[in-house]
Amino acid sequence: MQSKRATYTGALSPIDVGDILPSYTLKNEKDEDVDVATLTAEKGVIFFLVPKADTPGCTTQACGFRDVYPDFTSHNFEVYCLSADKPTAQAKWQSKKNLPYPLLSDPKRVLIAALGAGEGGKTKRSHFIFEKGGKLVDKKIPVKPADSPKLALEFVKELSS
């Protein structure tokens, strides 16, 4: 029986719709510690997951979120890109593509696996929407790169109406 807290091995219990985002610390693209549970204190959060930074499909997905980023923030949602890439690779990609949101590094795919998007040492392209307070309210696994931002924004707009 696993609890909702991180165990000594670093594993997290599976997170499904209706569950609360647990406390777990990742590095952002600036190599700073970020406890993901604190991100939902003031706003809703969208995590979109990419298999590998700066590859064609991932760039399509990331730029899609970039292009509608103000629409998410106007609905009181923050966007985060989550991948197993090192912070240095994420920072380079962020700068190259002018990505306005933070990127989170999960090299051991602990949070990625808990979300159900880690399998066989790979990350499934997906996105997860947590409302303010941390409850998971929507998930899409897998999702096409161009569809991910559109579907996430449609869900956020419905949630806000």
Side-chain angles (χ1 to χ4, degrees), residues 12 22 34 43 53 78 108 115 119 122 129 133 139 158:
L12 293 173
V34 176
K43 297 180 177 190
E78 272 303 325
K108 294 182 180 165
L115 290 167
E119 200 172 272
K122 299 208 184 287
I129 302 175
K139 66 178 183 176
E158 282 177 28

Side-chain angles (χ1 to χ4, degrees), residues 2 7 15 29 32-34 39 41 48-49 51 59 62 71 92 104 109 115 118 129 139 144 150:
Q2 291 182 333
T7 62
I15 305 163
E29 78 285 354
E32 300 164 333
D33 287 345
V34 176
L39 301 177
F48 74 91
L49 281 59
T59 297
D71 296 322
K92 187 176 169 188
L104 299 174
R109 293 185 174 85
L115 290 167
I129 302 175
K139 66 178 183 176
K144 291 183 176 147
K150 292 178 202 160

Side-chain angles (χ1 to χ4, degrees), residues 7-81:
T7 62
Y8 293 112
T9 60
L12 293 173
S13 296
I15 305 163
D16 211 337
V17 172
D19 292 341
I20 300 294
L21 184 63
S23 177
Y24 188 70
T25 301
L26 297 172
K27 296 278 189 191
N28 67 11
E29 78 285 354
K30 297 173 188 151
D31 208 28
E32 300 164 333
D33 287 345
V34 176
D35 180 347
V36 295
T38 64
L39 301 177
T40 59
E42 302 293 323
K43 297 180 177 190
V45 167
I46 295 144
F47 291 127
F48 74 91
L49 281 59
V50 298
K52 187 162 176 52
D54 208 9
T55 55
C58 300
T59 297
T60 296
Q61 186 181 16
C63 291
F65 275 99
R66 175 197 66 198
D67 296 346
V68 293
Y69 181 70
D71 296 322
F72 287 110
T73 57
S74 71
H75 285 90
N76 207 28
F77 273 81
E78 272 303 325
V79 173
Y80 295 85
C81 177

